[in-house]
Amino acid sequence: KNGLKAIKYRKIVDSIRPKEGWCGWLVTTDSAAVGTEAAYEIKNEMFRMAQATNEPVFVETTIKRVRILYERAGYTEYHQMKHPYQDLTVWFMRKDP
């Protein structure tokens, strides 16, 4: 049941997010993994590729504090919506190269 909700949610998000640009997902499945080195490597490579192709980077968050951090890092909000299954706001952010 939750898997179907996740698929429906991703379809909604994919319909909102522009088709051009870069969007990274970091999903961890190893509970023994420690540290953030891999996340920084992925982020840095994504930004390098975005700059090389002159395309924006897109992120979403449901955490207000994280939204503020993204804004301080140069992202701008281009859309927001109420989460369809939880009492959350989803902020869609964009950072141009």
Side-chain angles (χ1 to χ4, degrees), residues 2-19 23-27 58-62 78 81 83-85 90-92:
N2 286 337
L4 290 176
K5 284 184 176 181
I7 291 169
K8 288 179 183 179
Y9 174 74
R10 289 311 322 161
K11 284 185 178 183
I12 294 168
V13 169
D14 289 345
S15 73
I16 294 168
R17 186 185 310 124
K19 302 304 178 227
C23 181
W25 274 26
L26 181 60
V27 178
F58 297 97
V59 296
E60 296 95 36
T61 187
T62 58
Y78 68 91
M81 72 173 200
H83 195 286
Y85 306 115
V90 182
W91 289 283
F92 293 78

Side-chain angles (χ1 to χ4, degrees), residues 40-95:
Y40 281 108
E41 287 179 23
I42 292 168
K43 175 195 68 97
N44 290 340
E45 182 63 16
M46 184 176 67
F47 274 104
R48 187 195 65 71
M49 292 186 302
Q51 193 166 30
T53 59
N54 197 35
E55 293 180 306
V57 173
F58 297 97
V59 296
E60 296 95 36
T61 187
T62 58
I63 303 168
K64 188 173 185 173
R65 187 182 88 231
V66 172
R67 181 184 130 237
I68 293 167
L69 290 173
Y70 280 136
E71 287 175 338
R72 289 181 182 166
Y75 286 83
T76 57
E77 180 182 320
Y78 68 91
H79 187 76
Q80 70 171 259
M81 72 173 200
K82 292 293 179 194
H83 195 286
Y85 306 115
Q86 299 178 20
D87 186 23
L88 298 170
T89 298
V90 182
W91 289 283
F92 293 78
M93 312 291 289
R94 169 189 184 122
K95 185 171 185 175

